[in-house]
Amino acid sequence: MPLVCWQSVEASITQTTGRLFTVQHQSQISGGSINRAYRIDDEDRSYFVKLNRANTLPMFEAEADGLSELASASAIRIPEVVCFSQAHDQAWLVTEYIAFGRGGSDSSRLLGQQLAALHQCDAEQFGWFRNNTIGLTQQCNQCSGAWPEFYREERLRFQLNLAARNGFTGSLQQKGERLMESLDTFFSTYQPQPSLLHGDLWGGNRAFDAAGQPVIFDPAVYYGDREADLAMTELFGGFSSEFYDAYREAWPLDDGYSVRKTLYNLYHILNHANLFGASYAAQAESMLDQLLSEIR
Ligand code: ADP
C-alpha cells in the first residue's frame, strides 16, 4: 500500500483526536470479506483500519453511522468510530482496535442477553434514516410502518430484481413473485416491533474481547424484526446453545420463528447469489420451495 495513504490516515486520526499520530507499526488483519484491514500502532495507541477504493467512502460512512447507532444502545461492546475519509484513490474507516480473546460459555451467554437488550431498542418505523450495504450490495432502508411491506419491497424485491439483472430469471423469479404476493400469511398472528438490528450477524462479525465481553462489528444496521438477526446467526453457524438459551430466556421467541427464519435468510442467500453466483441461486430456490409449501 502506498505510503501516501498512511500519511493521509495519520493526518485524519491526528485531526480527529487532537493528538499527533504517526504509524510506527502496521500489520494486516485477515478475516474480512470485502476490505483490506490493518492494525496500526504508535508507541501508545492502536487503531483498526479498513481500506478500499475511494468510491467506497459512502459504504464506510454508512458503516460508521451503523456502529454509532449500535453503540448508542449501550447494550453490546461496539468498536468506537474514530474517523473515515478518502485521499489518493483510497477510502478508509478507522475505529478503536480491540484485542480479541477466546470467550467461553459465559461470554456466549452474555452475548445472548446483550443481543436481546439491543433488540429492545426500538423505533417508530421499520427501516433507517439512510441506506447502507450488505456485503458490497446496496441495502435500501426506506422507512415503513408495516413490516411485511418493508420486507417485501426493501429486501426481497430489491434482491430479486438484482438477481434478474444478473441472469437469474425463470423459476426463481416466478417463485419469488408468488412468495411476495403471499407474504402476509407469515404474519397473520405475529406483528414484530421495529428493533435495532445488527443486520449482518454471522459468526465472523462477532468476537469476544480479552475480558470475555462480546463485541459485534461490520454491521448493516436497520430497524426490523429481531428474528432476522437471530436467523442470520443460524445461517452459517458458530453461535452456541448457551447464546440461544440466554436470548430466549431474556426475550422468548414466537413459535412461528422456525418458519420465518427461512424467509429472513432467503434475503442473505439471494444476496450471496448476486455476489457469488449460481450455487446460491439454487439454494435460494430450494428455500423458496420450502416457504411456498407453508402457504399452500
Ligand atoms: P470486512 O468489511 O472486509 O468484512 P471486517 O469488518 O469483518 O471486514 O473486519 C475484518 C476482520 O478484522 C474481522 O474478521 C475481525 O477479526 C477483525 N476486526 C474487525 N473489527 C476489529 C476491531 N475493531 N479491532 C480488531 N480487530 C477487528
Side-chain angles (χ1 to χ4, degrees):
M1 119 150 286
L3 187 63
V4 66
C5 183
W6 285 127
Q7 288 172 341
S8 306
V9 173
E10 286 169 344
S12 162
I13 294 172
T14 298
Q15 197 188 11
T16 315
T17 62
R19 275 178 65 205
L20 180 68
F21 181 81
T22 312
V23 176
Q24 302 205 333
H25 183 260
Q26 50 109 336
S27 53
Q28 193 151 6
I29 295 178
S30 60
S33 40
I34 292 173
N35 306 290
R36 279 174 297 152
Y38 293 85
R39 170 185 173 162
I40 54 173
D41 306 272
D42 71 1
E43 58 284 332
D44 62 350
R45 286 183 289 169
S46 302
Y47 294 105
F48 175 75
V49 186
K50 296 215 278 198
L51 290 164
N52 210 321
R53 288 187 312 281
N55 63 4
T56 61
L57 184 62
M59 178 177 81
F60 287 145
E61 281 171 355
E63 180 169 344
D65 281 339
L67 290 168
S68 301
E69 186 95 15
L70 292 173
S72 71
S74 302
I76 312 182
R77 185 170 183 190
I78 309 293
E80 198 178 317
V81 174
V82 176
C83 56
F84 52 85
S85 191
Q86 60 125 102
H88 307 287
D89 203 31
Q90 307 251 21
W92 61 84
L93 169 65
V94 181
T95 68
E96 164 192 17
Y97 175 83
I98 299 177
F100 294 147
R102 286 175 58 80
S105 49
D106 284 351
S107 303
S108 291
R109 206 167 292 121
L110 202 53
L111 178 58
Q113 290 161 355
Q114 292 182 348
L115 186 66
L118 180 79
H119 289 164
Q120 292 281 357
C121 298
D122 59 358
E124 296 279 305
Q125 292 205 303
F126 300 97
W128 200 29
F129 78 94
R130 63 168 301 158
N131 294 341
N132 46 14
T133 53
I134 182 78
L136 277 172
T137 310
Q138 190 184 16
Q139 175 166 272
C140 297
N141 297 315
Q142 174 81 51
C143 288
S144 165
W147 173 249
E149 180 201 320
F150 177 88
Y151 195 70
R152 180 172 54 241
E153 300 306 321
E154 302 296 290
R155 295 292 176 266
L156 294 180
R157 198 181 303 282
F158 183 89
Q159 289 288 343
L160 281 160
N161 286 345
L162 194 55
R165 291 200 293 280
N166 285 330
F168 301 119
T169 52
S171 54
L172 180 81
Q173 295 294 332
Q174 285 149 16
K175 289 170 185 176
E177 208 44 63
R178 275 174 48 213
L179 179 72
M180 288 191 292
E181 277 164 18
S182 312
L183 208 60
D184 286 349
T185 321
F186 295 90
F187 300 96
S188 54
T189 60
Y190 174 72
Q191 281 93 40
Q193 68 175 54
S195 286
L196 176 54
L197 304 185
H198 176 282
D200 192 10
L201 196 56
W202 70 289
N205 285 345
R206 69 95 173 77
F208 303 100
D209 67 16
Q213 290 290 316
V215 185
I216 57 173
F217 46 88
D218 200 15
V221 162
Y222 65 103
Y223 285 81
D225 183 358
R226 65 197 177 104
E227 288 182 353
D229 257 359
L230 283 173
M232 177 119 212
T233 65
E234 293 196 50
L235 187 57
F236 302 116
F239 291 78
S240 67
S241 57
E242 287 89 355
F243 163 79
Y244 294 107
D245 290 347
Y247 185 96
R248 283 174 183 267
E249 230 168 81
W251 194 355
L253 290 172
D254 182 86
D255 286 346
Y257 168 68
S258 58
V259 172
R260 281 185 300 267
K261 74 180 175 189
T262 305
L263 180 65
Y264 292 140
N265 284 337
L266 175 62
Y267 171 64
H268 295 292
I269 295 300
L270 284 169
N271 188 40
H272 274 60
N274 285 318
L275 290 170
F276 308 120
S279 67
Y280 288 105
Q283 188 178 347
E285 199 162 335
S286 82
M287 292 166 95
L288 279 164
D289 288 337
Q290 198 184 321
L291 291 163
L292 290 171
S293 75
E294 297 287 337
I295 54 182
R296 256 176 223 142

